[in-house]
Amino acid sequence: MTLFFFGILLLIWGYLCRLLSIYFFWDSKNFGWILVAIGFMSFLIDLRISRIAQKKNIFWVRVGVAIIVLWFAAVGSAFFAIKTSDFYPGLFESIKKDNVIKSETGDIYGYSLIPTNIGILNMVNKSPSASASFVMTVRGKIAYRDVKIILRRGGVTGWYMAEIRLVNY
């Protein structure tokens, strides 16, 4: 339960950072979502143990744990797909060259470790016309901003970057 509440605090801090332009621990939003999911899963495991002791049905508890485990597996595989893709090495150069992003952030000196957004789950999709998107934090000397990268699957050539734009909250 402590992990869940700590995750909620990190989420609140992460969104406050974006709203109030506070540039300290900007990635707390990402870690907050992870801790909320782990905290909820530990709650479900505790609930399972107590329901087994009471000899009650645990089907829905198992379903909840399975959904969280599948979510972690899907996001992990999509994260791996991004990091090992052909477009990834050129991604940072494309962001650095974008005039809109550069004017908002100043000289870019760093990026977030964890790309996020539910759109990255499409990267594991084998459809030739699939599209995917993810959000990264760009750290600049003037400001930090979240940037949405939209990808398209180009038939045999794999993924290519279709668009880069700033995320507005």
Side-chain angles (χ1 to χ4, degrees), residues 29-30 71 75 78 82 114-122 132-136 147-150 167:
K29 182 182 86 163
N30 301 336
W71 179 76
V75 170
I82 289 172
I114 306 170
T116 59
N117 194 2
I118 198 68
I120 64 173
L121 297 179
N122 288 338
S133 64
F134 60 95
V135 176
M136 298 181 69
V147 175
K148 184 174 188 174
I149 293 103
I150 300 170
V167 176

Side-chain angles (χ1 to χ4, degrees), residues 48-116:
R48 178 184 176 273
I49 292 169
S50 69
R51 290 186 68 85
I52 286 174
Q54 296 170 1
K55 297 185 186 210
K56 291 186 176 180
N57 187 359
I58 59 168
F59 175 76
W60 292 109
V61 177
R62 285 182 177 172
V63 168
V65 170
I67 288 171
I68 293 171
V69 168
L70 289 174
W71 179 76
F72 274 119
V75 170
S77 64
F79 177 72
F80 181 73
I82 289 172
K83 294 285 188 175
T84 59
S85 64
D86 294 338
F87 72 88
Y88 193 73
L91 173 67
F92 302 116
E93 289 304 317
S94 299
I95 291 173
K96 282 183 180 180
K97 290 177 184 175
D98 191 285
N99 292 330
V100 175
I101 295 170
K102 195 170 185 177
S103 69
E104 291 274 334
T105 61
D107 289 333
I108 297 170
Y109 67 86
Y111 302 93
S112 62
L113 298 173
I114 306 170
T116 59

Side-chain angles (χ1 to χ4, degrees), residues 129-140:
S129 61
S131 66
S133 64
F134 60 95
V135 176
M136 298 181 69
T137 300
V138 175
R139 294 181 183 87

